[in-house]
Amino acid sequence: SNILRKVGYNVVEAKDGMEALEKAKELGGDLDLVISDVVMPRINGPELLESLSELNSEVKVVFITGYAGDDMIASQLPEGYGLLLEKPFGSADLLAMIAKTIRGED
């Protein structure tokens, strides 16, 4: 999150999907982008996106996964959500993925 703040993004952090949903509700769904792991306890990434979409149908998500090349993970993600970033990745990779997602590029 420090790298995101350094380049000028306003960052709201959450320890898991449930906390992310609670914070999104506090913000009235006013989020431009969510960065979420696909696999998380309590609420996984796709479930989080579904709930967030009810608050803000325009929200974009960069999903992160440690399961490189796993077609099953990719098939669980809804079309048009954003992009999938596979671990490991560097700061430049994350920033590039954020920029592409915000611009709506696939």
Side-chain angles (χ1 to χ4, degrees), residues 31-103:
L31 302 167
D32 296 317
L33 178 74
V34 174
I35 301 170
S36 172
D37 212 324
V38 174
V39 178
M40 298 183 292
R42 303 200 311 164
I43 291 181
N44 68 31
E47 292 168 336
L48 173 61
L49 175 57
E50 186 176 326
S51 295
L52 291 174
S53 294
E54 293 172 10
L55 295 172
N56 176 353
S57 62
E58 302 295 317
V59 70
K60 295 285 187 186
V61 178
V62 170
F63 281 117
I64 298 171
T65 183
Y67 302 98
D70 190 337
D71 292 334
M72 191 173 106
I73 294 291
S75 71
Q76 292 177 6
L77 304 178
E79 247 181 82
Y81 64 88
L83 298 170
L84 181 66
L85 184 59
E86 295 178 354
K87 296 175 189 176
F89 57 86
S91 298
D93 299 321
L94 178 60
L95 292 173
M97 188 69 71
I98 290 169
K100 284 179 70 171
T101 303
I102 289 173
R103 288 192 309 261

